[in-house]
């Protein structure tokens, strides 16, 4: 009779030992599942795929309204033949094949032009603006959704929310920045496991880091240092002058670039993003997206692709 309890106890013990042996390799995955140590994905608009046709996708449901927009045959023209909204006047909405000039403190709710739109100081487009080129000649308030086939040029003091163009500049205009990053090879695929660092991390000046990073604290990349790979930080990111990242850059808090920086991939900050003077994001060959709760752009910034500020974006002096 005593052999039965012993056999039962031996069987249960053997079963538990076997289960433990098979579960040990799964322990890291179970720990991550029930106590996540990595950051969750930042919420973005499901239409924002980083392509420059984002503005067009957003406007699909408004196309019937656009077909009913009034023509501009009765508008005034300046000595260059451009259509003009005079100083301080307001228009509802219009579409035209010609270039348009919004005078000082002029307003329009919606405007579509197949040519160039020039906005003088304190002019405003309320809802959406689309043109071949958009040039801001002073501090202006752009529409919630502004897109251009070619270029958008922003002057100091300009405010925006969503921008999409082949290239977005801030004054003064300079040539596209050149960085010798081709010798570092291609960017890292998203499927590659990234290096994990617990706490704050500082990358010394002139260092080249191969591979992506996940940092649980704050990250500072010193002058002329280069990271080849995608970077995800639970805190804030600071790029010193001349620091470069050949990959995507994500932060749950702030991203600050101090100047002469190059980021090849998309940028996403959970709070504030500042692009320092002479910084470049993306390229003609690699358009990308920039998004944050608030965005500040300094002088001679160049972004290839789209920008999205949840609350507000501004070109600061």
């Amino acid at each position: 009779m005593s052999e039965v309890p012993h056999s039962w106890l031996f069987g249960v013990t053997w079963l538990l030992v076997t289960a433990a042996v098979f579960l040990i390799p799964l322990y890291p995955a179970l720990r991550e599942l029930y106590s996540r140590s990595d950051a969750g994905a930042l919420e973005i608009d499901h239409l924002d795929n980083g392509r420059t046709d984002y503005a067009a996708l957003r406007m699909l449901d408004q196309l019937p309204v656009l077909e009913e927009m009034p023509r501009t045959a009765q508008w005034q023209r300046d000595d260059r033949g451009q259509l003009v909204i005079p100083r301080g006047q307001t228009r509802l909405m219009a579409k035209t094949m010609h270039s348009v000039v919004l005078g000082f403190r002029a307003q329009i709710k919606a405007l579509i032009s197949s040519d160039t739109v020039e906005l003088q100081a304190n002019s405003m487009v309320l809802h959406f603006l689309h043109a071949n080129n958009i040039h801001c000649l002073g501090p202006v308030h752009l529409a919630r959704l502004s897109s251009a086939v070619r270029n958008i040029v922003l002057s100091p003091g300009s405010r925006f929310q969503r921008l999409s163009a082949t290239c977005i500049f801030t004054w003064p205009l300079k040539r596209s920045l050149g960085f010798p990053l081709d010798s570092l090879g291609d960017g890292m695929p998203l499927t590659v496991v990234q290096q994990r660092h617990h706490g704050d991390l500082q990358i010394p000046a002139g260092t080249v880091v191969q591979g992506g990073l996940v940092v649980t604290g704050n990250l500072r990349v010193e002058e002329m240092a280069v990271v080849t790979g995608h970077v995800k930080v639970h805190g804030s990111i600071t790029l010193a002058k001349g620091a470069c990242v050949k990959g995507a850059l994500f932060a749950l808090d702030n991203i600050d670039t101090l100047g002469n920086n190059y980021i090849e991939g998309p940028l996403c900050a959970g709070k504030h993003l500042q692009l320092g003077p002479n910084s470049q994001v993306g390229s003609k060959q690699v358009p990308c997206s920039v998004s944050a709760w608030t965005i500040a752009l300094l002088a001679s910034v160049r972004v290839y692709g789209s920008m999205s500020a949840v609350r507000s974006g501004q070109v600061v002096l």
Side-chain angles (χ1 to χ4, degrees), residues 252-263:
L252 290 184
D253 290 338
N254 304 320
I255 297 178
D256 291 319
T257 70
L258 303 185
N260 294 96
N261 304 107
Y262 175 76
I263 301 96

Side-chain angles (χ1 to χ4, degrees), residues 5 15 18 94 97 104 114 146 173 186 218 236 239 284 313:
L15 179 63
T18 304
M97 301 291 291
F104 179 75
S114 300
S146 301
L173 305 184
D186 297 330
N218 300 316
S236 297
L239 300 184
K284 294 180 181 178

Side-chain angles (χ1 to χ4, degrees), residues 48 50-52 54-55 143-147 152 154 160-165 167-170 267 273-275 281 288-292 294-298 301-310 312-315:
D48 193 352
R51 295 164 52 188
T52 55
Y54 170 70
R144 289 195 295 268
L145 181 60
S146 301
S147 62
I152 297 178
L154 301 172
F160 61 88
Q161 281 190 284
R162 293 182 181 269
L163 302 177
S164 175
C167 189
I168 303 169
F169 305 86
T170 62
L267 273 75
L273 167 65
Q274 177 170 297
L275 294 178
V281 181
C288 63
S289 61
V290 175
S291 59
T294 58
I295 297 177
L297 305 178
L298 275 71
V301 168
R302 184 183 297 251
V303 175
Y304 291 87
S306 62
M307 302 186 68
S308 178
V310 177
S312 65
Q314 185 176 8
V315 181

Side-chain angles (χ1 to χ4, degrees), residues 44 101 139 144 219 300:
I44 61 173
V101 177
R144 289 195 295 268
L219 171 65
S300 301

Side-chain angles (χ1 to χ4, degrees), residues 145-214:
L145 181 60
S146 301
S147 62
V149 177
R150 298 182 61 193
N151 302 322
I152 297 178
V153 181
L154 301 172
S155 58
S158 297
R159 295 180 176 273
F160 61 88
Q161 281 190 284
R162 293 182 181 269
L163 302 177
S164 175
T166 301
C167 189
I168 303 169
F169 305 86
T170 62
W171 286 101
L173 305 184
K174 293 185 178 181
R175 289 186 177 182
S176 178
L177 300 176
F179 293 90
L181 296 183
D182 293 337
S183 60
L184 301 177
D186 297 330
M188 186 186 69
L190 289 172
T191 54
V192 175
V193 177
Q194 297 168 306
Q195 305 174 50
R196 178 178 294 276
H197 182 89
H198 294 279
D200 296 341
L201 175 63
Q202 181 176 358
I203 299 177
T207 304
V208 177
V209 178
Q210 297 282 358
L213 296 170
V214 174

